[in-house]
Amino acid sequence: IPRKGRPVVKLLIALLSILAIALLSSAFVYYGPAFATQLQSCQHAASGPSSTSCLTSGSRAATLGLVLYLGGVVAALLAWVLGLVKTAQIRRWLWFIVVFLLSPLGSLLYGLLGPTSRPYPVHR
């Protein structure tokens, strides 16, 4: 007997995975260099007399990159956990392994292509 909530959860998993991929890609591609430069200045500041200047002189781009990265990690983690829970609940162990090993791509694949119900028992 199919339940109504399963397709909604799969859609949520797919949307969270897409959001995670978009946020993480943006963070690395557009803001990665600014974040790397800020990190390098922090390393130099740590060896100098004023190590607190690193914390107060962060560039806006580095901060935005960090926020996008953290948002992507949270979205990917939510999609991953939801994907693992749902695939375990419906006993689709191959999908469970795909979600477990390939997050957030595995979560996206499950959200778009994965089953919503348990496999039918084999009668002998």
Side-chain angles (χ1 to χ4, degrees), residues 81-108:
V81 169
L82 283 173
L84 291 175
V85 168
K86 292 315 285 179
T87 54
Q89 283 178 345
I90 63 173
R91 297 181 182 164
R92 297 292 185 136
W93 304 115
L94 183 60
W95 278 106
F96 181 90
I97 292 168
V98 168
V99 170
F100 183 76
L101 294 177
L102 300 177
S103 185
L105 183 60
S107 301
L108 177 62

mmCIF file of all heavy atoms in Angstrom, residues 81-108:
data_model
loop_
_atom_site.group_PDB
_atom_site.id
_atom_site.type_symbol
_atom_site.label_atom_id
_atom_site.label_comp_id
_atom_site.label_asym_id
_atom_site.label_seq_id
_atom_site.Cartn_x
_atom_site.Cartn_y
_atom_site.Cartn_z
ATOM 1 N N VAL A 81 21.021 12.416 4.841
ATOM 2 C CA VAL A 81 20.357 11.725 5.943
ATOM 3 C C VAL A 81 18.945 11.287 5.530
ATOM 4 O O VAL A 81 18.542 10.146 5.776
ATOM 5 C CB VAL A 81 20.319 12.605 7.216
ATOM 6 C CG1 VAL A 81 19.406 12.022 8.275
ATOM 7 C CG2 VAL A 81 21.724 12.785 7.764
ATOM 8 N N LEU A 82 18.184 12.187 4.887
ATOM 9 C CA LEU A 82 16.848 11.820 4.428
ATOM 10 C C LEU A 82 16.906 10.669 3.426
ATOM 11 O O LEU A 82 16.081 9.750 3.474
ATOM 12 C CB LEU A 82 16.148 13.022 3.795
ATOM 13 C CG LEU A 82 15.583 14.061 4.745
ATOM 14 C CD1 LEU A 82 15.077 15.276 3.966
ATOM 15 C CD2 LEU A 82 14.466 13.470 5.577
ATOM 16 N N GLY A 83 17.862 10.723 2.518
ATOM 17 C CA GLY A 83 18.013 9.649 1.538
ATOM 18 C C GLY A 83 18.349 8.324 2.192
ATOM 19 O O GLY A 83 17.798 7.281 1.820
ATOM 20 N N LEU A 84 19.240 8.349 3.162
ATOM 21 C CA LEU A 84 19.591 7.119 3.872
ATOM 22 C C LEU A 84 18.401 6.552 4.643
ATOM 23 O O LEU A 84 18.140 5.348 4.613
ATOM 24 C CB LEU A 84 20.759 7.366 4.830
ATOM 25 C CG LEU A 84 22.111 7.635 4.192
ATOM 26 C CD1 LEU A 84 23.137 7.975 5.271
ATOM 27 C CD2 LEU A 84 22.576 6.444 3.373
ATOM 28 N N VAL A 85 17.670 7.421 5.313
ATOM 29 C CA VAL A 85 16.511 6.973 6.099
ATOM 30 C C VAL A 85 15.448 6.374 5.185
ATOM 31 O O VAL A 85 14.918 5.291 5.447
ATOM 32 C CB VAL A 85 15.940 8.135 6.950
ATOM 33 C CG1 VAL A 85 14.588 7.778 7.534
ATOM 34 C CG2 VAL A 85 16.921 8.523 8.047
ATOM 35 N N LYS A 86 15.116 7.064 4.102
ATOM 36 C CA LYS A 86 14.064 6.578 3.212
ATOM 37 C C LYS A 86 14.454 5.282 2.521
ATOM 38 O O LYS A 86 13.639 4.370 2.404
ATOM 39 C CB LYS A 86 13.683 7.636 2.170
ATOM 40 C CG LYS A 86 12.981 8.851 2.732
ATOM 41 C CD LYS A 86 11.894 8.533 3.720
ATOM 42 C CE LYS A 86 10.630 8.005 3.141
ATOM 43 N NZ LYS A 86 9.604 7.689 4.155
ATOM 44 N N THR A 87 15.682 5.182 2.039
ATOM 45 C CA THR A 87 16.086 3.950 1.365
ATOM 46 C C THR A 87 16.145 2.778 2.345
ATOM 47 O O THR A 87 15.839 1.652 1.978
ATOM 48 C CB THR A 87 17.435 4.114 0.634
ATOM 49 O OG1 THR A 87 18.427 4.588 1.549
ATOM 50 C CG2 THR A 87 17.307 5.058 -0.541
ATOM 51 N N ALA A 88 16.501 3.046 3.591
ATOM 52 C CA ALA A 88 16.487 1.979 4.606
ATOM 53 C C ALA A 88 15.053 1.580 4.942
ATOM 54 O O ALA A 88 14.765 0.398 5.108
ATOM 55 C CB ALA A 88 17.235 2.425 5.852
ATOM 56 N N GLN A 89 14.157 2.556 5.038
ATOM 57 C CA GLN A 89 12.757 2.260 5.357
ATOM 58 C C GLN A 89 12.104 1.387 4.290
ATOM 59 O O GLN A 89 11.303 0.508 4.611
ATOM 60 C CB GLN A 89 11.946 3.545 5.513
ATOM 61 C CG GLN A 89 12.170 4.257 6.808
ATOM 62 C CD GLN A 89 11.373 5.550 6.883
ATOM 63 O OE1 GLN A 89 10.864 6.054 5.890
ATOM 64 N NE2 GLN A 89 11.286 6.101 8.085
ATOM 65 N N ILE A 90 12.431 1.629 3.037
ATOM 66 C CA ILE A 90 11.811 0.844 1.963
ATOM 67 C C ILE A 90 12.678 -0.358 1.561
ATOM 68 O O ILE A 90 12.371 -1.048 0.604
ATOM 69 C CB ILE A 90 11.472 1.716 0.735
ATOM 70 C CG1 ILE A 90 12.721 2.317 0.101
ATOM 71 C CG2 ILE A 90 10.458 2.785 1.097
ATOM 72 C CD1 ILE A 90 12.460 3.033 -1.210
ATOM 73 N N ARG A 91 13.761 -0.552 2.288
ATOM 74 C CA ARG A 91 14.641 -1.709 2.113
ATOM 75 C C ARG A 91 15.206 -1.810 0.696
ATOM 76 O O ARG A 91 15.273 -2.886 0.115
ATOM 77 C CB ARG A 91 13.931 -2.987 2.509
ATOM 78 C CG ARG A 91 13.561 -2.988 3.967
ATOM 79 C CD ARG A 91 12.884 -4.241 4.365
ATOM 80 N NE ARG A 91 12.521 -4.132 5.788
ATOM 81 C CZ ARG A 91 11.664 -4.917 6.360
ATOM 82 N NH1 ARG A 91 11.088 -5.874 5.701
ATOM 83 N NH2 ARG A 91 11.394 -4.750 7.636
ATOM 84 N N ARG A 92 15.622 -0.693 0.174
ATOM 85 C CA ARG A 92 16.288 -0.656 -1.126
ATOM 86 C C ARG A 92 17.776 -0.452 -0.859
ATOM 87 O O ARG A 92 18.286 0.658 -0.851
ATOM 88 C CB ARG A 92 15.727 0.466 -2.007
ATOM 89 C CG ARG A 92 14.276 0.299 -2.358
ATOM 90 C CD ARG A 92 14.101 -0.901 -3.286
ATOM 91 N NE ARG A 92 12.723 -1.002 -3.711
ATOM 92 C CZ ARG A 92 12.341 -1.250 -4.949
ATOM 93 N NH1 ARG A 92 13.238 -1.446 -5.898
ATOM 94 N NH2 ARG A 92 11.068 -1.325 -5.246
ATOM 95 N N TRP A 93 18.468 -1.564 -0.637
ATOM 96 C CA TRP A 93 19.836 -1.510 -0.139
ATOM 97 C C TRP A 93 20.821 -1.031 -1.193
ATOM 98 O O TRP A 93 21.830 -0.387 -0.851
ATOM 99 C CB TRP A 93 20.233 -2.848 0.450
ATOM 100 C CG TRP A 93 19.265 -3.240 1.522
ATOM 101 C CD1 TRP A 93 18.419 -4.301 1.519
ATOM 102 C CD2 TRP A 93 18.998 -2.528 2.734
ATOM 103 N NE1 TRP A 93 17.646 -4.299 2.656
ATOM 104 C CE2 TRP A 93 17.975 -3.227 3.428
ATOM 105 C CE3 TRP A 93 19.498 -1.364 3.314
ATOM 106 C CZ2 TRP A 93 17.471 -2.808 4.648
ATOM 107 C CZ3 TRP A 93 18.999 -0.953 4.536
ATOM 108 C CH2 TRP A 93 18.002 -1.665 5.193
ATOM 109 N N LEU A 94 20.604 -1.290 -2.453
ATOM 110 C CA LEU A 94 21.492 -0.759 -3.489
ATOM 111 C C LEU A 94 21.406 0.764 -3.536
ATOM 112 O O LEU A 94 22.420 1.453 -3.620
ATOM 113 C CB LEU A 94 21.162 -1.370 -4.858
ATOM 114 C CG LEU A 94 22.078 -0.938 -5.992
ATOM 115 C CD1 LEU A 94 23.525 -1.317 -5.707
ATOM 116 C CD2 LEU A 94 21.628 -1.554 -7.299
ATOM 117 N N TRP A 95 20.179 1.280 -3.455
ATOM 118 C CA TRP A 95 20.014 2.737 -3.402
ATOM 119 C C TRP A 95 20.632 3.311 -2.128
ATOM 120 O O TRP A 95 21.199 4.398 -2.141
ATOM 121 C CB TRP A 95 18.537 3.120 -3.507
ATOM 122 C CG TRP A 95 18.053 3.132 -4.916
ATOM 123 C CD1 TRP A 95 17.255 2.218 -5.515
ATOM 124 C CD2 TRP A 95 18.370 4.108 -5.906
ATOM 125 N NE1 TRP A 95 17.050 2.562 -6.819
ATOM 126 C CE2 TRP A 95 17.716 3.717 -7.087
ATOM 127 C CE3 TRP A 95 19.135 5.266 -5.920
ATOM 128 C CZ2 TRP A 95 17.803 4.444 -8.265
ATOM 129 C CZ3 TRP A 95 19.231 5.997 -7.092
ATOM 130 C CH2 TRP A 95 18.571 5.586 -8.250
ATOM 131 N N PHE A 96 20.524 2.589 -1.031
ATOM 132 C CA PHE A 96 21.137 3.023 0.227
ATOM 133 C C PHE A 96 22.642 3.204 0.046
ATOM 134 O O PHE A 96 23.217 4.215 0.452
ATOM 135 C CB PHE A 96 20.845 1.997 1.329
ATOM 136 C CG PHE A 96 21.402 2.370 2.673
ATOM 137 C CD1 PHE A 96 20.652 3.118 3.551
ATOM 138 C CD2 PHE A 96 22.680 1.964 3.060
ATOM 139 C CE1 PHE A 96 21.161 3.461 4.802
ATOM 140 C CE2 PHE A 96 23.191 2.309 4.297
ATOM 141 C CZ PHE A 96 22.429 3.056 5.174
ATOM 142 N N ILE A 97 23.274 2.231 -0.601
ATOM 143 C CA ILE A 97 24.725 2.301 -0.833
ATOM 144 C C ILE A 97 25.072 3.456 -1.762
ATOM 145 O O ILE A 97 26.043 4.183 -1.535
ATOM 146 C CB ILE A 97 25.236 0.954 -1.382
ATOM 147 C CG1 ILE A 97 25.128 -0.121 -0.294
ATOM 148 C CG2 ILE A 97 26.667 1.066 -1.883
ATOM 149 C CD1 ILE A 97 25.324 -1.535 -0.796
ATOM 150 N N VAL A 98 24.258 3.661 -2.806
ATOM 151 C CA VAL A 98 24.495 4.776 -3.735
ATOM 152 C C VAL A 98 24.412 6.106 -2.998
ATOM 153 O O VAL A 98 25.281 6.972 -3.144
ATOM 154 C CB VAL A 98 23.504 4.730 -4.925
ATOM 155 C CG1 VAL A 98 23.537 6.013 -5.732
ATOM 156 C CG2 VAL A 98 23.798 3.532 -5.813
ATOM 157 N N VAL A 99 23.368 6.286 -2.198
ATOM 158 C CA VAL A 99 23.209 7.532 -1.432
ATOM 159 C C VAL A 99 24.347 7.685 -0.435
ATOM 160 O O VAL A 99 24.920 8.776 -0.285
ATOM 161 C CB VAL A 99 21.836 7.570 -0.722
ATOM 162 C CG1 VAL A 99 21.753 8.731 0.263
ATOM 163 C CG2 VAL A 99 20.711 7.657 -1.733
ATOM 164 N N PHE A 100 24.711 6.606 0.239
ATOM 165 C CA PHE A 100 25.758 6.650 1.253
ATOM 166 C C PHE A 100 27.112 7.042 0.658
ATOM 167 O O PHE A 100 27.826 7.866 1.224
ATOM 168 C CB PHE A 100 25.867 5.287 1.945
ATOM 169 C CG PHE A 100 26.879 5.260 3.046
ATOM 170 C CD1 PHE A 100 26.601 5.847 4.267
ATOM 171 C CD2 PHE A 100 28.110 4.654 2.874
ATOM 172 C CE1 PHE A 100 27.533 5.831 5.294
ATOM 173 C CE2 PHE A 100 29.052 4.631 3.894
ATOM 174 C CZ PHE A 100 28.759 5.218 5.101
ATOM 175 N N LEU A 101 27.453 6.470 -0.483
ATOM 176 C CA LEU A 101 28.790 6.674 -1.042
ATOM 177 C C LEU A 101 28.917 7.904 -1.941
ATOM 178 O O LEU A 101 30.012 8.449 -2.071
ATOM 179 C CB LEU A 101 29.223 5.431 -1.824
ATOM 180 C CG LEU A 101 29.435 4.168 -0.995
ATOM 181 C CD1 LEU A 101 29.796 3.002 -1.903
ATOM 182 C CD2 LEU A 101 30.504 4.378 0.063
ATOM 183 N N LEU A 102 27.843 8.337 -2.564
ATOM 184 C CA LEU A 102 27.951 9.381 -3.590
ATOM 185 C C LEU A 102 27.232 10.677 -3.245
ATOM 186 O O LEU A 102 26.811 11.392 -4.151
ATOM 187 C CB LEU A 102 27.411 8.850 -4.929
ATOM 188 C CG LEU A 102 28.112 7.640 -5.514
ATOM 189 C CD1 LEU A 102 27.414 7.197 -6.782
ATOM 190 C CD2 LEU A 102 29.571 7.942 -5.781
ATOM 191 N N SER A 103 27.075 10.975 -1.982
ATOM 192 C CA SER A 103 26.362 12.201 -1.628
ATOM 193 C C SER A 103 27.162 13.428 -2.057
ATOM 194 O O SER A 103 28.378 13.411 -1.963
ATOM 195 C CB SER A 103 26.138 12.253 -0.122
ATOM 196 O OG SER A 103 25.358 13.359 0.210
ATOM 197 N N PRO A 104 26.549 14.492 -2.566
ATOM 198 C CA PRO A 104 25.129 14.735 -2.791
ATOM 199 C C PRO A 104 24.613 14.207 -4.144
ATOM 200 O O PRO A 104 23.422 14.241 -4.393
ATOM 201 C CB PRO A 104 24.996 16.244 -2.721
ATOM 202 C CG PRO A 104 26.291 16.771 -3.172
ATOM 203 C CD PRO A 104 27.320 15.729 -2.744
ATOM 204 N N LEU A 105 25.472 13.722 -4.989
ATOM 205 C CA LEU A 105 25.032 13.205 -6.281
ATOM 206 C C LEU A 105 24.153 11.964 -6.107
ATOM 207 O O LEU A 105 23.130 11.819 -6.783
ATOM 208 C CB LEU A 105 26.239 12.891 -7.168
ATOM 209 C CG LEU A 105 25.933 12.419 -8.574
ATOM 210 C CD1 LEU A 105 25.132 13.460 -9.339
ATOM 211 C CD2 LEU A 105 27.204 12.084 -9.310
ATOM 212 N N GLY A 106 24.511 11.067 -5.207
ATOM 213 C CA GLY A 106 23.697 9.880 -4.956
ATOM 214 C C GLY A 106 22.324 10.242 -4.423
ATOM 215 O O GLY A 106 21.317 9.625 -4.791
ATOM 216 N N SER A 107 22.260 11.259 -3.573
ATOM 217 C CA SER A 107 20.976 11.727 -3.063
ATOM 218 C C SER A 107 20.128 12.313 -4.183
ATOM 219 O O SER A 107 18.922 12.085 -4.247
ATOM 220 C CB SER A 107 21.185 12.790 -1.972
ATOM 221 O OG SER A 107 21.936 12.267 -0.914
ATOM 222 N N LEU A 108 20.773 13.051 -5.067
ATOM 223 C CA LEU A 108 20.059 13.624 -6.212
ATOM 224 C C LEU A 108 19.527 12.515 -7.114
ATOM 225 O O LEU A 108 18.370 12.554 -7.542
ATOM 226 C CB LEU A 108 20.975 14.564 -7.000
ATOM 227 C CG LEU A 108 20.377 15.165 -8.268
ATOM 228 C CD1 LEU A 108 19.166 16.024 -7.958
ATOM 229 C CD2 LEU A 108 21.421 15.969 -9.006
#
